[in-house]
Amino acid sequence: MATTEVEHRRGQLASLSIAAVVIIVGVPLWWRTTETYRAWLPVSQINELANLQLQLSADVEVVFARGTVTPEQQKKVPLTKTQDEEHTVDEDTALRYRYETKYRTANIMEEDALNQPSAADADLSLHTLSESLCGSLVVYVIPESSSLLPEDVDVYIGQRRTALLRNGAQMRVGRTMEQLLAHLEPRIRQVLKVMSFSHTDITAALSGRVRLSPGNKESIADSMRAFKSSPGYEITFSLLNPDPNIDSQTLYYAMLGVNPRFDSSRNAYTLNSDSLAHVINPVEARLGSNAASSNPVLNFLLYAPDAQHSPLYIQDRQKQKVPSNAFHSPRWGGIMVYNVNSFYGPEAVFPVDINIDMAKVMGVFLAQLRLLLGVQSSTTPPGFLVAPCSSTGLADWELDRLMWSRSVENVATAATTITSLAQLLDQIGNIVINDNIAEQVSSAVTSLQLAVAELEAGNLGFALQYSKEAILASERAFFDPSLLHLLYFPDDQKFAIYIPLFLPMCVPILLSLLKIISDARQRRKERQAKKD
């Protein structure tokens, strides 16, 4: 009996030891080695980005030239004046525009620059004196009698970040400084909307986040035509030549894919605007792809029609010839038809040399590039004169307008991407969050916060840079391939795999524990009976 009792006791201790090892060591170890790794994310900061509150600050300097204010008025010129304008776009997005205006009188060198024979010369001279910071403006108030501006022009906007504003006839000497500023403020606000940002432009930049009003058809069309913001773009120029007899670097035998119609009244071939949409696909198949870059590609094609279909002209919906003989496709590029039949006669012997007027061609492509990048020619109020586009193709203030829109667009896109990723990771617990993704998310959040802060401070260059870093980091995190490793491995499949593995081992241990508990209860009853 003693030996049997010892063996029984030993069996119970062995069962308890095995159960203890399984529960204390085995279960935690299995749980730890099979759990989904999820690195820490700044969830609270991400949730704050869901409610986007942006403030855009623009610095304006108003300079009074000689003859616009009296010595008594100069004493009352305020140093600075700040105005705020708030707009609620939707329940999660709000905008605030802050205009900080500084007032002063012109110095001697600026007075000499304003004595130039033309407004363009004055604009250049003022630019050489001091270069304005990116995103800022300088408005020079000139006397009514100044010869810089034509009689019917009150405001001149040049190529730089300066504007000339004529002092109105109603503001002759004798008025107070408060009355003068009250007269100038509406005109300065108009200058700001033309040269800096406008609410329409900023709202269009938020089209990926908010729904635009159906009544704002022009903004919707502009946002659909322009390429989305990207850290870089690939620009390609190609010459399409259906006749290989012409000696040039071309895509030989490249046809437009649309048969032009002969117009006997013009003795020329024509392409209707309705058929232009069918031109892109056949041409794009011959262009190839730029697989080495992930940046959007802007295609600009010059098409030289063959002798059998020359001259070839593009017609608009009113059956009128398009002056540029070109068209553009939203978010793709542009095509220009260049007729070369005038360079050779019917008795010409091929091949012949053709000299293309590249100044004319690049002028058309430049106008198309501005549209595709979102550089819009804003509608100016009456009395405004905007300097024509220079050879650079872009004025300084136009670049600022584009940077304002791109910065806001990048911030909105990156915030939407990060919040969407956080919601996805919260809903699906099987997605692995490795350290690289967590680092990219944290980098995107930090860059977003810095971009918002720089927009609020009016530092446009830094705001654009931080917004680009934010959108790059957010997209790298969102499209990381490791996010899909365990996406299709739900919990019921885990149980289906582990139950056949653990059940044969757990059943004996569980039965042993139940036997031990039963024996303990039996001994307790026996002891209680002996006491009774």
Side-chain angles (χ1 to χ4, degrees):
M1 292 293 294
T3 303
T4 304
E5 184 67 24
V6 171
E7 292 294 333
H8 184 68
R9 184 67 176 171
R10 183 181 298 171
Q12 290 181 339
L13 292 176
S15 298
L16 289 173
S17 300
I18 294 174
V21 171
V22 171
I23 296 174
I24 298 175
V25 179
V27 173
L29 181 62
W30 166 77
W31 184 269
R32 180 63 179 174
T33 54
T34 58
E35 71 174 346
T36 302
Y37 180 74
R38 298 173 70 86
W40 177 85
L41 297 178
V43 179
S44 60
Q45 300 179 33
I46 294 175
N47 292 334
E48 293 177 357
L49 295 175
N51 187 14
L52 192 60
Q53 307 287 328
L54 290 180
Q55 175 177 309
L56 280 64
S57 300
D59 293 333
V60 186
E61 190 173 21
V62 178
V63 182
F64 293 98
R66 185 186 300 113
T68 56
V69 291
T70 64
E72 186 66 26
Q73 289 174 335
Q74 291 183 17
K75 299 177 183 179
K76 298 181 180 180
V77 173
L79 296 178
T80 59
K81 189 174 183 180
T82 303
Q83 293 181 329
D84 290 340
E85 182 180 327
E86 297 185 0
H87 297 271
T88 301
V89 182
D90 61 11
E91 58 183 5
D92 296 325
T93 308
L95 297 171
R96 172 183 290 178
Y97 308 132
R98 170 163 292 182
Y99 306 99
E100 184 173 349
T101 307
K102 300 178 181 179
Y103 299 92
R104 65 177 179 86
T105 56
N107 55 41
I108 297 177
M109 292 184 293
E110 290 173 329
E111 291 290 353
D112 292 339
L114 292 174
N115 289 327
Q116 296 292 325
S118 66
D121 294 334
D123 180 53
L124 179 60
S125 299
L126 292 171
H127 174 70
T128 57
L129 291 178
S130 62
E131 185 174 356
S132 302
L133 296 176
C134 182
S136 63
L137 298 176
V138 181
V139 180
Y140 288 90
V141 182
I142 59 177
E144 179 188 1
S145 58
S146 175
S147 60
L148 286 176
L149 303 182
E151 294 182 359
D152 57 341
V153 175
D154 295 329
V155 178
Y156 173 82
I157 296 176
Q159 292 292 320
R160 284 82 189 178
R161 298 182 178 94
T162 57
L164 304 179
L165 191 154
R166 188 198 301 273
N167 200 0
Q170 62 271 35
M171 297 311 302
R172 292 190 176 94
V173 178
R175 300 295 182 93
T176 63
M177 193 64 198
E178 290 76 11
Q179 292 174 324
L180 175 61
L181 295 180
H183 168 70
L184 290 177
E185 284 179 0
R187 302 295 280 174
I188 294 175
R189 184 64 60 88
Q190 289 178 332
V191 173
L192 278 169
K193 291 183 178 180
V194 173
M195 300 184 66
S196 186
F197 53 81
S198 65
H199 182 62
T200 302
D201 295 338
I202 301 303
T203 305
L206 296 171
S207 59
R209 177 184 176 92
V210 301
R211 186 184 299 275
L212 295 179
S213 173
N216 199 354
K217 296 182 179 180
E218 183 178 353
S219 298
I220 296 176
D222 292 341
S223 63
M224 293 177 62
R225 174 174 51 206
F227 277 86
K228 289 295 183 181
S229 179
S230 175
Y233 299 93
E234 300 291 333
I235 301 179
T236 63
F237 297 92
S238 304
L239 174 63
L240 276 68
N241 177 22
D243 187 355
N245 289 324
I246 299 180
D247 186 15
S248 59
Q249 186 176 357
T250 66
L251 297 175
Y252 290 137
Y253 297 104
M255 305 299 293
L256 287 180
V258 177
N259 294 324
R261 296 181 179 181
F262 183 76
D263 188 349
S264 57
S265 62
R266 295 175 179 172
N267 195 25
Y269 289 86
T270 60
L271 283 175
N272 294 326
S273 59
D274 296 335
S275 62
L276 297 179
H278 305 287
V279 173
I280 303 299
N281 289 341
V283 170
E284 192 172 25
R286 302 294 301 273
L287 294 177
S289 61
N290 196 345
S293 175
S294 59
N295 295 326
V297 180
L298 287 79
N299 302 282
F300 295 99
L301 285 74
L302 183 66
Y303 179 72
D306 55 10
Q308 288 76 18
H309 297 91
S310 296
L312 178 62
Y313 299 107
I314 299 176
Q315 291 186 154
D316 57 18
R317 298 185 183 277
Q318 286 74 33
K319 304 300 181 181
Q320 300 296 322
K321 287 198 304 183
V322 176
S324 63
N325 210 25
F327 70 97
H328 71 276
S329 178
R331 299 185 183 179
W332 186 84
I335 296 179
M336 178 181 180
V337 177
Y338 193 88
N339 293 303
V340 297
N341 59 300
S342 59
F343 291 90
Y344 58 87
E347 305 297 331
V349 179
F350 294 98
V352 296
D353 293 331
I354 301 298
N355 294 321
I356 297 177
D357 186 359
M358 292 306 299
K360 176 182 177 181
V361 173
M362 296 308 296
V364 174
F365 286 161
L366 180 60
Q368 294 176 341
L369 178 63
R370 287 168 56 90
L371 293 174
L372 293 171
L373 291 180
V375 181
Q376 307 298 332
S377 299
S378 57
T379 304
T380 57
F384 275 60
L385 175 63
V386 179
C389 184
S390 65
S391 58
T392 59
L394 196 67
D396 292 349
W397 58 270
E398 288 181 316
L399 179 61
D400 290 350
R401 282 177 63 95
L402 185 61
M403 291 174 65
W404 283 115
S405 299
R406 293 304 195 194
S407 298
V408 173
E409 181 182 350
N410 290 344
V411 168
T413 302
T416 302
T417 302
I418 287 297
T419 52
S420 299
L421 178 60
Q423 294 174 1
L424 179 67
L425 297 177
D426 182 61
Q427 294 173 0
I428 305 177
N430 290 318
I431 298 182
V432 175
I433 308 176
N434 57 37
D435 294 334
N436 179 56
I437 295 176
E439 182 181 353
Q440 296 296 337
V441 171
S442 299
S443 175
V445 172
T446 302
S447 299
L448 272 173
Q449 293 172 341
L450 292 173
V452 172
E454 296 297 343
L455 282 175
E456 184 174 346
N459 299 325
L460 183 55
F462 288 110
L464 180 62
Q465 181 62 35
Y466 286 129
S467 68
K468 290 168 59 177
E469 295 175 0
I471 198 171
L472 287 174
S474 63
E475 290 182 350
R476 281 195 295 264
F478 192 87
F479 296 106
D480 195 293
S482 65
L483 293 177
L484 300 177
H485 283 177
L486 297 181
L487 181 59
Y488 303 107
F489 193 40
D491 292 335
D492 56 350
Q493 295 186 16
K494 290 183 181 180
F495 288 112
I497 293 174
Y498 290 122
I499 285 178
L501 178 65
F502 289 105
L503 189 61
M505 179 183 65
C506 293
V507 169
I509 297 175
L510 182 61
L511 293 177
S512 299
L513 291 176
L514 293 176
K515 185 66 170 61
I516 293 172
I517 294 173
S518 177
D519 291 344
R521 289 179 178 177
Q522 184 65 29
R523 285 194 298 269
R524 186 180 301 172
K525 290 181 180 179
E526 291 176 357
R527 292 173 184 173
Q528 188 66 29
K530 288 180 181 180
K531 290 181 180 181
D532 295 340

